[in-house]
Amino acid sequence: EPEVTQTPSHQVTQMGQEVILRCVPISNHLYFYWYRQILGQKVEFLVSFYNNEISEKSEIFDDQFSVERPDGSNFTLKIRSTKLEDSAMYFCASGTGINEQFFGPGTRLTVL
Amino acid sequence: GQSLEQPSEVTAVEGAIVQINCTYQTSGFYGLSWYQQHDGGAPTFLSYNGLDGLEETGRFSSFLSRSDSYGYLLLQELQMKDSASYFCAVRDRAGGFKTIFGAGTRLFVKA
């Protein structure tokens, strides 16, 4: 069964550094998303992406965040200058429509 | 703004039926979804309701009443493996198609 994959599974970085989190959505999916989940808290929407552009973003998704679909398979989230409070699990999700979303296993980001 | 409310915790015994409620407030409601998340795992899609009524998928059913801004997830024949967190999530079309998750309900299934 096809699944969303994410790399790396765990990323440790120093405050102020840039990180790129990578996702390979399911191949025939058209809608892509990034979420984050701080340990023990709820899943928070960051951004949705459709037709090669951002369709919606949350207040969390400020200028230090960006997303790209550099080729036909990858979907990346870049955090330009990481802060301590960016430490969280980041989930990528994809879907064929707007109702059902398939989540990847997540990347645990630790900012020191 | 948008808000969702669901109980923080529910405990039930194996074989029983449990209902997890969700009330929501949003300016542009499009649909209500339910996700399951085991500790350390990713959310897994369970069901979606775009229209009023009951949707059934195996042991899980989900209900929506748009006039009451209310929905629930019904889990039947509970198994130990159902112990997890359950999130309701609203698809909000007010400014696009943003998905807002509730804080989650932690379900404990006891033998």
Side-chain angles (χ1 to χ4, degrees):
Chain A
E1 190 172 321
E3 55 186 24
V4 177
T5 59
Q6 291 185 242
T7 54
S9 57
H10 193 181
Q11 173 90 47
V12 181
T13 190
Q14 295 289 325
M15 194 168 57
Q17 294 296 302
E18 174 183 287
V19 294
I20 297 176
L21 310 183
R22 292 184 164 80
C23 169
V24 178
I26 296 172
S27 62
N28 63 335
H29 286 185
L30 302 175
Y31 297 81
F32 313 113
Y33 311 85
W34 283 101
Y35 294 87
R36 78 172 186 192
Q37 187 176 32
I38 295 167
L39 189 62
Q41 297 187 24
K42 67 177 181 179
V43 176
E44 296 176 290
F45 172 84
L46 293 177
V47 67
S48 60
F49 193 88
Y50 172 72
N51 204 25
N52 287 319
E53 61 183 21
I54 291 174
S55 57
E56 181 71 19
K57 57 184 180 180
S58 71
E59 307 75 29
I60 303 167
F61 195 88
D62 60 23
D63 291 344
Q64 70 160 342
F65 290 91
S66 61
V67 289
E68 260 194 343
R69 190 154 160 79
D71 52 45
S73 59
N74 290 285
F75 182 49
T76 62
L77 174 70
K78 183 193 289 187
I79 309 175
R80 256 179 277 285
S81 176
T82 50
K83 302 190 279 268
L84 295 177
E85 54 265 37
D86 292 328
S87 295
M89 183 73 92
Y90 287 80
F91 291 107
C92 170
S94 69
T96 53
I98 57 173
N99 302 334
E100 183 175 358
Q101 297 178 38
F102 293 86
F103 281 70
T107 293
R108 179 167 297 285
L109 177 65
T110 302
V111 182
L112 303 175
Chain B
Q2 306 96 0
S3 68
L4 294 95
E5 289 199 16
Q6 50 181 131
S8 58
E9 211 173 276
V10 172
T11 301
V13 296
E14 224 176 348
I17 299 172
V18 73
Q19 178 173 312
I20 300 173
N21 299 320
C22 174
T23 56
Y24 61 86
Q25 197 169 29
T26 180
S27 46
F29 177 81
Y30 192 83
L32 184 72
S33 301
W34 288 91
Y35 289 83
Q36 178 192 61
Q37 186 179 33
H38 286 98
D39 283 347
T44 303
F45 174 80
L46 293 176
S47 70
Y48 172 81
N49 294 75
L51 300 174
D52 290 352
L54 193 69
E55 292 285 337
E56 296 179 79
T57 311
R59 294 188 297 115
F60 296 168
S61 305
S62 59
F63 172 82
L64 174 66
S65 168
R66 287 175 296 171
S67 59
D68 296 321
S69 298
Y70 163 76
Y72 65 71
L73 178 70
L74 193 73
L75 297 88
Q76 302 181 73
E77 300 170 22
L78 280 176
Q79 302 174 8
M80 299 296 286
K81 67 178 182 178
D82 297 329
S83 293
S85 291
Y86 292 84
F87 295 89
C88 59
V90 166
R91 195 87 194 204
D92 180 8
R93 66 177 170 188
F97 289 101
K98 182 191 296 188
T99 303
I100 307 300
F101 279 72
T105 298
R106 191 150 179 98
L107 172 64
F108 296 96
V109 180
K110 302 192 298 186

